[in-house]
Amino acid sequence: GLQFFHGSTSRMRIDSSGRVGIGVTAPLVKLDVKGSPSAPANSGTAQTGSLRVSQTLGNGVLDMGFYTSSNGTAWLQSTNKANLATNYDIALQPNGGNVGIGTTSPISPLHIQDTSQSLSHTYIYQSKGLSVEADEAMIQLMSEDSGTHGGSLLWRYGNNAFGAIANPTTDTLDFIYGVSSGNSFDLHGGGNMTSRVKALSIASDGRIGIGTDSPDYKLDVTGPTGAYTNGDLPIAVFQSHTDHRA
C-alpha cells in the first residue's frame, strides 16, 4: 500500500484494495477515519469530531464524531465553522421518501421499529405520518418536572384544531377542539378503523349524546324503537341480584 507521513508518523494510508485510512493503519472500508472521542464543541472554532463535510460557499459544515469510546454513541452536528456556538438545521429526505429507525422497509415518513420484535401487520390505516412498532409501542412526551409545565398534542388542518393538553395547574388531561363549523366531539368503538361505531357525542354547546348525534338535553340517551333486547336498552341499572332497568 501507499502511506503518507508527517515526520515519522503515518497520517494516511491507501492499501492494495484502494481503501483509504486516516488515523488507521489497516482500513476496513473505502474510507476509514479514526479520531478521539469527545462531545461536539459548542464554542470557538476548534471542533472535536472525527470527520467534517464542508461547502465552497459560506461557513456551514457538518461534523461527525463519537462521545466516548466505551458506549459507542455517535453524534452529528450542523454548525458554523467560524463560530461553533451557531447551529444549523439538518434536512432528511428533503426531496421525499421515508426514514426508518430499526427497519429497512419504512412504511411512513418516520417509521420506528423495535428490532427485537417480530411484527407483522396486514392492515395499515395510513402511511403518511409516524409509525411506531414494538412489543408495547409508546410515544412518550416529557415536560420539565415542575408544577408549571404541562404538555400537549395538537392536530390542525386549516382553521380547525383538536388537542389533548396536560394541565399542570389542575393536574387534569383536557381534551379540546375548535372547528369553524361547530361540529361535535365524538368517541367511537368497534372492531377496526373501518367498522367503528359512534358511542358518544359532545355537541358544541356541551350537551352529551349517547345514541344520538343531536342531544336535546345535558345528557341525552337514545335507544332504538320497538322491542328492546338487553344490548339495546338505553339505560340499565343493576343492584345486588335485583334487575332494575329503565
Side-chain angles (χ1 to χ4, degrees):
L2 177 65
Q3 293 191 67
F4 296 84
F5 288 83
H6 181 266
S8 60
T9 304
S10 176
R11 298 299 187 185
M12 186 173 74
R13 176 188 178 98
I14 304 176
D15 67 11
S16 58
S17 299
R19 293 173 293 202
V20 178
I22 300 175
V24 179
T25 57
L28 300 176
V29 291
K30 289 296 184 181
L31 176 60
D32 198 339
V33 181
K34 182 179 180 180
S36 299
S38 182
N42 55 17
S43 64
T45 59
Q47 187 56 279
T48 58
S50 301
L51 183 64
R52 166 172 286 180
V53 179
S54 59
Q55 55 179 319
T56 57
L57 298 174
N59 292 324
V61 294
L62 182 62
D63 294 331
M64 291 162 268
F66 287 86
Y67 278 98
T68 65
S69 57
S70 58
N71 61 17
T73 301
W75 56 262
L76 187 69
Q77 181 63 56
S78 178
T79 185
N80 188 317
K81 66 180 180 182
N83 180 11
L84 297 178
T86 301
N87 300 317
Y88 298 135
D89 298 331
I90 294 178
L92 298 178
Q93 300 281 51
N95 293 329
N98 298 332
V99 175
I101 299 176
T103 176
T104 58
S105 303
I107 61 174
S108 57
L110 178 57
H111 184 178
I112 303 171
Q113 181 174 333
D114 182 356
T115 57
S116 65
Q117 305 298 324
S118 178
L119 303 172
S120 176
H121 297 285
T122 58
Y123 180 80
I124 299 174
Y125 179 64
Q126 183 57 269
S127 60
K128 297 180 180 179
L130 167 65
S131 301
V132 180
E133 292 186 80
D135 183 35
E136 294 184 8
M138 176 183 66
I139 297 177
Q140 182 171 264
L141 305 179
M142 299 183 66
S143 299
E144 182 179 339
D145 188 12
S146 172
T148 59
H149 297 86
S152 61
L153 285 173
L154 181 65
W155 298 263
R156 290 201 63 176
Y157 58 93
N159 294 324
N160 303 318
F162 300 83
I165 300 177
N167 191 325
T169 303
T170 58
D171 289 330
T172 58
L173 181 62
D174 302 333
F175 292 91
I176 63 171
Y177 73 102
V179 294
S180 57
S181 57
N183 292 334
S184 61
F185 179 83
D186 301 328
L187 296 179
H188 293 79
N192 55 50
M193 294 298 292
T194 58
S195 64
R196 61 187 184 273
V197 178
K198 186 181 295 185
L200 182 147
S201 294
I202 303 177
S204 57
D205 59 3
R207 296 178 181 181
I208 299 174
I210 299 177
T212 175
D213 295 337
S214 303
D216 294 322
Y217 311 98
K218 289 295 184 180
L219 175 61
D220 192 340
V221 182
T222 303
T225 59
Y228 290 136
T229 61
N230 286 344
D232 294 329
L233 288 172
I235 299 176
V237 180
F238 298 91
Q239 181 180 4
S240 186
H241 297 291
T242 304
D243 184 355
H244 302 277
R245 306 184 182 207

